[in-house]
Amino acid sequence: MSKYLSNWWNEIDKFNFLIIITIVTIGIILSISINTEFSFFNKHILYASLAIVIMILISSLNEKIIRRLSLLGLIFFIIMLISILFLDYEIKGSKRWLKFFGLSIQPSEFIKPFFLILSAWFLSKGIQGKKIYLNILFLFFFLVAGLIILQPDFGMTFLFAASFFCQLFIAGLSISLVIIFFAILIILSITCYFIFDHVQKRINAFFDPTTADTYQIDLSLQAFKSGGLLGKGPAHGIIKDKIPDANTDFIFAVAGEELGFIFCSLIILLIIILIARFLLQLLKFKEPYIIIAIVGLISSYGLQSLINIFSALGVIPTKGMTLPFISYGGSSMISSAILFGFLLSLTKQKK
Amino acid sequence: MFNLHERKQSKVFNRRTFFLLSVKLGIFSVIGWRFFDLQILNSKKYKTLSKKNQINVAIIYPVRGEIRDRNNIVIASNKKVYDLYIIPEQTNNLENTLNNLNDYIEISFKQKRKIINLSEKVKKFESIKIIEDLNWKDLEVIETNKIHLDGLHLEEDFQRIYPGNNAFSHILGYISQPDKKEVNLPYISKMPKLDIGKTGLEKYLNEDLIGIAGKKEIEVNSYGRVIREISLDPSQKGKNLQITIDSRLQKFTFDELQSHKAGSIVVLDINSGEILSMVSTPSFNPNLIIKKPNVEYWKSLLGNPLSPLTFRSVQGLYSPGSTFKMIVALAALKHKLVNPKTTTFCNGKIEYGDRLYHCWKTKGHGKMNLENAIKESCDVYFYELSKKIGINKMATVAYELGLGQAYDIGLENEKKGIIPSKKWKKENLNENWYAGETLNAAIGQGYSLSNPLQLAVMIARFASNGKKITPTLFKRNDEVIFGQIEYLSQFSNIIKDALFKAVNEQKGTAYKSKSNDYFFSGKTGTSQVKKITQAERESEEFRKKTIEWKNKDHALFVGYAPSKNPKYAISVIIEHGGSGASTAAPIVKRTFDYIMKLKI
């Protein structure tokens, strides 16, 4: 066992692993300061420790097993996504969660890492000339994206599609197709705006804060402003009591208020280093599969963090997206663990 | 689609990786800038704050606009009230203070426990409301005994008040807390606890009446205690609005209805279409709905079988009865199927198909021409006439005279009613029209249903020689131009002469209610509620018998005054009132008397 662990420790990228652990720790600190009720903070720590164990386990697997695991995971969560549509369980106007032994699971969070691994595999086959792989891949992409949009969860659909797009981009998608892709994206978002009420409401609120309920954003910005350079100190913030979803969507506002500018900058710096390091490591690799997989996974992480922080800052409309490893929420925590487990496994130094 | 050359591929990988990397770094630097802006540059504004304090934004709720009648008399306004609060930390002992208070104002044990329990849950410097809307006596007692009551203070608040009580309740509606859906309305966002209009014009005019919220920035410490006020942006009161109702007339007509269980009166200004009065009974008192606790009052309203919440003037549907006969006459004149001189003999009934159709006058009216048939309301004459016209032509005229449509005057659930026709029956009942049903329709029975507002519009259109008057609750410019029903201007004198004689000549159905000081015209109506059986009809005593209230006929009257140059149109409906002539016509006379006295 100890040999196994030391073997694993020698192979993985230690620096990246330590950064991840630091981010998880920051999440735990925030979860303690956000709520003094013991049960809450207990659960977050439970999820965090579970996440670390899962991440270590997955990162010790080899790439073949990872592909098989991804195939199983993809099929399992597609079935869950389908069944969710038929179960009557709504939170805030959309069906995203599945009740499972008293836990609510959000399958759309889990499906991302599995899909991105498989799509990397299929794409790498595709660019070697096997067109059939590409066709199957697109079929699956539209199936999954369609299922998520039916919930409806536009933030997640966007994140999913954007990560996939980064993979296509790195695989060498021709520039004209890139432009067409963006055109379709713009048309789709305009259509969503006119068809779906809750999308329209959020976007209107963003552009014209005076006419709409921008309560959350107002408070969030208030939190950042009152935090200043050093913040008010953990557990001394007040605004977290007033912002709904402070522990998930607006976790960054809590950090801004209680820990201040320097600490927020530190979190962002950690995220940037993580992304940059994984992307720079690509230069070592030659196999298209590994490159595409890493780009997809790290893009998914980076975009999700961006969306969360941007909406807390009022730069983009609120999306209901978590900040990986920092926001409260089991689904988000475990799926981030799987995602980084994959990344650590793929970047292992082979001996 | 993809570049397949292997050497190029690895170049592409490298180039594009750098591209992605720089895009992401770029975006994150935007975040960094935004942070710097918010947390360093912006927070300078608040530098005077001690580090642990922060700014809270408190919403200042606006005062709701008033509603006035056509003479600027206030019919919905706001009363300043005082609520009594206690701040636990400012008392030596919360329970002692409450006990002291009990010496002056009665506070039940249960209430006391509730306050003490609450004080343990909230922060100790927060105000707890003890009593809402203190009366003057209690207010005085508390002011004079302030020294013994530590920690108590009064706060001003506004409460909606409706001086007209039950008389205006259906038109105005009432206000209450918004439900989940209403909280999202754009004009009440940020004011989740604002009372908003729930029914009637209070609801319709919410956007104008609500006003604009103000806000106050206060500095609070990390426990939420208020340190000081930083800025104040006062709220703006909602608009004051005027409606066309004359409150004197409204109260008068409402009182007229009080001797009856259920009914409605509508009075229109014929020149402008403005509604001068519109009342419905039974009614409710909006002041009692607003005042908490109101559970008992709600129970009594919902438990009342006559449903006081229903606004009969626009939501109540009745067979128009004989008031429909002018429509039949007009349809016949329009299609040249009748000559004012032609006569029909009424012997009290006619046979059609295999059924007998009776006139209300069992012995018959004898020889009748069009004018007398309206004046004396002869059923047989109109049975015969309707056979020549057919149901569809009658329906067209009825619609043009204003029946069968909603006017969207701002009140919810305005009923359209039914103008039966062959097409209507096919679409709604999926049955063919029977010829005999035309005869029933000719005297406003059968499927026909109208609301009292529509009947007032109908008689106003007759009175104005065919102006397509539409009703409104909001002031119109003096010279409002309505469309014209061309054929009615041609024949209106014939029908108006008959309506004049119905009131002012012997044998006219409303002759007993005629006025000696001025002339008014109109038509009575009595609409059957219970089918009369053959056996009942044959017994001579039938009409004199006292019938159970709910089986009595509805009493109707539609009319206008003065007969020359008409200015006011009226429709009266008394549910189960007996006959139009005996019950509705006298109310019309008294109302017109009152209007003439007022000179509106």
Side-chain angles (χ1 to χ4, degrees):
Chain A
M1 184 67 197
S2 67
K3 195 186 171 200
Y4 182 82
L5 263 179
S6 73
N7 215 357
W8 166 82
W9 181 246
N10 285 329
E11 275 180 6
I12 62 148
D13 187 323
K14 296 171 197 64
F15 195 77
N16 282 348
F17 181 76
L18 289 176
I19 292 178
I20 296 166
I21 297 296
T22 315
I23 293 177
V24 174
T25 314
I26 288 171
I28 290 174
I29 292 171
L30 278 173
S31 84
I32 293 168
S33 87
I34 204 167
N35 204 321
T36 43
E37 277 172 45
F38 194 69
S39 73
F40 200 94
F41 123 78
N42 220 2
K43 252 187 178 171
H44 187 89
I45 291 182
L46 184 81
Y47 288 140
S49 356
L50 188 65
I52 292 172
V53 172
I54 287 176
M55 187 169 72
I56 292 174
L57 274 178
I58 288 180
S59 62
S60 68
L61 303 173
N62 70 35
E63 67 170 89
K64 209 171 186 180
I65 300 178
I66 281 180
R67 277 206 303 274
R68 287 182 186 153
L69 185 69
S70 297
L71 186 63
L72 279 177
L74 184 68
I75 291 168
F76 178 71
F77 285 107
I78 286 179
I79 293 168
M80 295 241 317
L81 276 178
I82 293 171
S83 60
I84 221 171
L85 292 177
F86 298 103
L87 298 173
D88 214 19
Y89 185 68
E90 278 191 29
I91 297 180
K92 291 178 209 153
S94 55
K95 297 179 171 181
R96 297 183 188 173
W97 283 265
L98 198 64
K99 277 272 187 191
F100 211 66
F101 300 117
L103 294 168
S104 33
I105 290 175
Q106 192 184 352
S108 54
E109 277 273 10
F110 284 101
I111 210 159
K112 280 177 306 178
F114 298 126
F115 177 83
L116 292 172
I117 288 285
L118 286 176
S119 71
W121 178 250
F122 277 57
L123 267 175
S124 69
K125 291 282 176 199
I127 60 174
Q128 280 157 18
K130 296 175 183 162
K131 281 275 161 64
I132 180 78
Y133 280 90
L134 288 180
N135 293 337
I136 296 172
L137 176 61
F138 278 99
L139 196 75
F140 268 92
F141 169 72
F142 286 114
L143 173 69
V144 176
L147 285 171
I148 301 176
I149 218 165
L150 280 177
Q151 294 181 348
D153 185 348
F154 299 100
M156 194 57 83
T157 316
F158 172 79
L159 175 62
F160 181 72
S163 314
F164 181 58
F165 176 76
C166 287
Q167 289 190 320
L168 292 178
F169 180 75
I170 207 78
L173 192 67
S174 68
I175 296 296
S176 55
L177 281 175
V178 171
I179 292 166
I180 290 172
F181 189 91
F182 273 103
I184 292 174
L185 187 75
I186 289 166
I187 292 167
L188 265 183
S189 9
I190 292 172
T191 326
C192 285
Y193 174 80
F194 285 107
I195 293 180
F196 296 99
D197 248 14
H198 77 279
V199 176
Q200 194 166 19
K201 220 165 82 186
R202 282 184 167 189
I203 294 181
N204 285 347
F206 176 70
F207 282 114
D208 192 0
T210 53
T211 62
D213 178 20
T214 54
Y215 180 71
Q216 292 190 343
I217 297 292
D218 290 351
L219 284 178
S220 175
L221 293 182
Q222 194 71 54
F224 283 115
K225 284 179 196 166
S226 62
L229 192 65
L230 294 168
K232 295 178 191 160
H236 280 286
I238 301 164
I239 279 164
K240 68 187 178 205
D241 297 330
K242 296 179 184 166
I243 302 186
D245 305 323
N247 56 342
T248 57
D249 297 14
F250 287 95
I251 188 81
F252 222 72
V254 177
E257 185 188 19
E258 302 191 349
L259 306 172
F261 174 70
I262 292 179
F263 195 81
C264 283
S265 309
L266 178 73
I267 296 178
I268 292 174
L269 198 65
L270 288 173
I271 296 173
I272 293 176
I273 293 174
L274 206 53
I275 294 170
R277 276 189 57 91
F278 274 111
L279 284 178
L280 288 173
Q281 274 170 343
L282 288 183
L283 302 176
K284 291 193 302 198
F285 295 101
K286 286 278 174 289
E287 297 146 83
Y289 159 62
I290 306 252
I291 294 176
I292 297 169
I294 292 176
V295 165
L297 293 169
I298 200 69
S299 299
S300 160
Y301 169 74
L303 284 169
Q304 181 159 1
S305 310
L306 272 180
I307 291 171
N308 176 281
I309 296 172
F310 269 170
S311 44
L313 284 172
V315 181
I316 59 168
T318 49
K319 277 277 181 311
M321 190 83 60
T322 55
L323 187 59
F325 286 134
I326 295 180
S327 291
Y328 175 78
S331 292
S332 159
M333 186 70 87
I334 305 300
S335 84
S336 308
I338 295 171
L339 189 144
F340 276 100
F342 287 163
L343 277 171
L344 288 173
S345 160
L346 292 171
T347 54
K348 266 192 288 199
Q349 287 175 319
K350 297 210 178 97
K351 289 188 174 163
Chain B
M1 188 170 174
F2 294 99
N3 197 330
L4 300 179
H5 198 279
E6 207 172 302
R7 193 177 286 166
K8 269 192 177 170
Q9 232 174 49
S10 78
K11 251 190 179 173
V12 165
F13 282 150
N14 288 346
R15 258 203 320 247
R16 294 202 172 185
T17 303
F18 275 114
F19 180 74
L20 274 186
L21 186 61
S22 45
V23 167
K24 281 190 185 161
L25 286 179
I27 297 174
F28 273 101
S29 57
V30 172
I31 293 189
W33 168 80
R34 180 84 174 147
F35 266 112
F36 187 71
D37 180 48
L38 274 178
Q39 300 203 282
I40 306 299
L41 297 182
N42 251 314
S43 71
K44 269 183 191 157
K45 268 187 226 164
Y46 301 95
K47 237 185 177 161
T48 48
L49 293 178
S50 90
K51 224 175 242 167
K52 282 188 176 167
N53 293 353
Q54 68 157 46
I55 310 290
N56 256 7
V57 179
I59 300 158
I60 306 171
Y61 281 55
V63 179
R64 197 173 171 85
E66 291 170 358
I67 304 177
R68 293 153 193 253
D69 85 338
R70 67 188 297 114
N71 303 313
N72 271 320
I73 293 166
V74 174
I75 51 178
S77 79
N78 308 293
K79 186 177 80 172
K80 202 183 255 183
V81 294
Y82 291 92
D83 302 335
L84 183 64
Y85 287 85
I86 192 162
I87 299 178
E89 72 162 6
Q90 289 176 7
T91 62
N92 283 325
N93 179 321
L94 180 62
E95 201 168 345
N96 282 347
T97 306
L98 288 176
N99 286 338
N100 285 345
L101 180 65
N102 197 24
D103 296 341
Y104 308 109
I105 302 170
E106 198 179 314
I107 291 180
S108 68
F109 182 74
K110 219 171 120 189
Q111 214 180 343
K112 207 172 82 184
R113 277 264 54 95
K114 218 168 124 187
I115 293 165
I116 291 171
N117 282 339
L118 194 63
S119 73
E120 282 155 11
K121 279 177 202 148
V122 302
K123 289 169 180 158
K124 62 185 189 302
F125 50 81
E126 271 178 32
S127 298
I128 299 172
K129 196 188 267 185
I130 302 178
I131 299 169
E132 209 169 80
D133 188 10
L134 278 177
N135 61 37
W136 273 110
K137 204 183 112 234
D138 292 345
L139 204 63
E140 227 172 58
V141 170
I142 288 172
E143 281 292 318
T144 44
N145 295 294
K146 247 181 179 170
I147 347 147
H148 312 293
L149 302 167
D150 48 348
L152 286 172
H153 72 279
L154 296 164
E155 272 179 33
E156 256 180 28
D157 193 11
F158 285 95
Q159 194 181 44
R160 197 69 162 164
I161 182 164
Y162 302 96
N165 292 320
N166 299 38
F168 296 80
S169 50
H170 290 117
I171 293 181
L172 293 178
Y174 56 88
I175 61 168
S176 180
Q177 286 289 295
D179 60 33
K180 273 182 195 160
K181 227 172 153 186
E182 289 163 333
V183 168
N184 289 326
L185 290 171
Y187 46 85
I188 66 160
S189 71
K190 300 188 183 181
M191 300 188 278
K193 284 183 182 153
L194 184 72
D195 278 327
I196 61 162
K198 303 294 272 190
T199 62
L201 291 183
E202 286 273 36
K203 180 179 180 187
Y204 183 68
L205 302 172
N206 258 337
E207 201 166 346
D208 285 330
L209 289 171
I210 280 174
I212 298 164
K215 71 177 178 187
K216 172 160 85 168
E217 284 185 310
I218 36 182
E219 182 181 341
V220 294
N221 69 11
S222 56
Y223 297 100
R225 184 195 296 277
V226 178
I227 307 292
R228 69 182 169 116
E229 192 178 296
I230 294 172
S231 74
L232 178 73
D233 172 15
S235 61
Q236 276 175 43
K237 189 184 170 183
K239 285 185 199 148
N240 291 337
L241 300 172
Q242 195 180 24
I243 63 172
T244 60
I245 297 295
D246 185 300
S247 36
R248 298 165 298 177
L249 184 62
Q250 180 84 355
K251 279 178 196 149
F252 180 85
T253 49
F254 185 73
D255 290 340
E256 278 293 329
L257 285 182
Q258 293 319 299
S259 47
H260 303 282
K261 280 191 181 172
S264 157
I265 298 176
V266 179
V267 183
L268 290 182
D269 180 316
I270 292 176
N271 293 321
S272 61
E274 290 172 359
I275 298 169
L276 299 174
S277 163
M278 186 154 65
V279 291
S280 166
T281 205
S283 183
F284 59 92
N285 188 342
N287 294 317
L288 295 183
I289 287 185
I290 287 179
K291 193 150 180 86
K292 307 265 153 54
N294 56 8
V295 183
E296 286 303 312
Y297 190 60
W298 267 117
K299 266 188 199 159
S300 75
L301 291 179
L302 296 174
N304 188 335
L306 294 172
S307 63
L309 294 170
T310 304
F311 193 8
R312 290 174 158 73
S313 308
V314 293
Q315 296 168 349
L317 289 177
Y318 307 90
S319 301
S322 300
T323 61
F324 194 74
K325 283 173 181 164
M326 290 91 82
I327 304 268
V328 181
L330 180 60
L333 288 166
K334 178 187 170 192
H335 293 283
K336 307 209 160 41
L337 296 169
V338 72
N339 177 328
K341 284 168 192 157
T342 41
T343 56
T344 300
F345 190 83
C346 164
N347 64 359
K349 58 186 178 251
I350 66 164
E351 203 179 330
Y352 189 64
D354 53 359
R355 250 199 71 186
L356 278 177
Y357 292 83
H358 294 268
C359 188
W360 65 268
K361 199 168 179 181
T362 335
K363 291 171 190 159
H365 285 92
K367 241 173 149 187
M368 283 275 118
N369 64 11
L370 181 66
E371 191 175 272
N372 285 333
I374 294 177
K375 174 185 159 192
E376 298 178 32
S377 202
C378 173
D379 293 338
V380 166
Y381 183 91
F382 285 96
Y383 291 148
E384 292 291 356
L385 202 52
S386 70
K387 285 198 265 177
K388 290 187 210 161
I389 310 166
I391 186 67
N392 287 347
K393 283 174 183 153
M394 279 157 44
T396 311
V397 173
Y399 189 82
E400 283 188 298
L401 267 292
L403 303 184
Q405 52 201 291
Y407 292 101
D408 299 322
I409 55 173
L411 303 172
E412 62 276 328
N413 203 9
E414 198 182 325
K415 292 262 169 66
K416 282 185 175 173
I418 295 168
I419 303 175
S421 66
K422 287 178 185 169
K423 197 174 148 219
W424 171 84
K425 198 180 175 194
K426 193 78 206 165
E427 279 171 4
N428 290 280
L429 304 174
N430 198 22
E431 280 173 29
N432 288 325
W433 186 262
Y434 300 118
E437 289 172 336
T438 306
L439 274 59
N440 267 332
I443 60 160
Q445 297 287 154
Y447 302 114
S448 310
L449 288 174
S450 304
N451 70 36
L453 179 63
Q454 290 168 341
L455 292 176
V457 170
M458 175 188 79
I459 196 66
R461 289 185 179 187
F462 274 114
S464 65
N465 305 327
K467 277 198 219 153
K468 284 192 176 171
I469 291 156
T470 53
T472 180
L473 280 167
F474 302 102
K475 278 259 176 193
R476 279 187 170 138
N477 296 333
D478 284 342
E479 291 305 314
V480 57
I481 296 161
F482 295 110
Q484 178 71 33
I485 307 166
E486 289 303 332
Y487 55 85
L488 179 52
S489 50
Q490 206 179 323
F491 302 114
S492 64
N493 57 333
I494 301 172
I495 291 166
K496 281 165 79 177
D497 280 349
L499 294 175
F500 178 80
K501 287 176 181 169
V503 179
N504 297 297
E505 257 185 22
Q506 282 197 354
K507 279 191 176 176
T509 48
Y511 180 65
K512 278 182 193 154
S513 300
K514 96 187 232 348
S515 161
N516 295 322
D517 306 325
Y518 61 93
F519 292 114
F520 74 91
S521 307
K523 178 80 197 77
T524 56
T526 303
S527 81
Q528 264 175 41
V529 174
K530 185 175 177 272
K531 255 206 147 65
I532 303 167
T533 63
Q534 197 61 32
E536 278 174 323
R537 194 179 293 279
E538 277 162 9
S539 76
E540 269 298 308
E541 294 299 298
F542 161 64
R543 286 202 180 261
K544 291 167 196 160
K545 253 202 304 200
T546 43
I547 317 171
E548 208 188 331
W549 180 76
K550 71 174 173 34
N551 290 332
K552 276 191 191 168
D553 296 339
H554 293 326
L556 283 79
F557 193 94
V558 295
Y560 55 88
S563 293
K564 255 187 199 171
N565 300 323
K567 279 179 77 180
Y568 312 103
I570 190 169
S571 84
V572 172
I573 285 187
I574 304 298
E575 283 183 25
H576 312 291
S579 81
S582 64
T583 311
I587 294 176
V588 169
K589 188 205 173 251
R590 286 194 294 272
T591 306
F592 279 145
D593 284 349
Y594 188 71
I595 292 175
M596 295 302 159
K597 205 178 88 193
L598 283 182
K599 295 188 183 115
I600 293 169

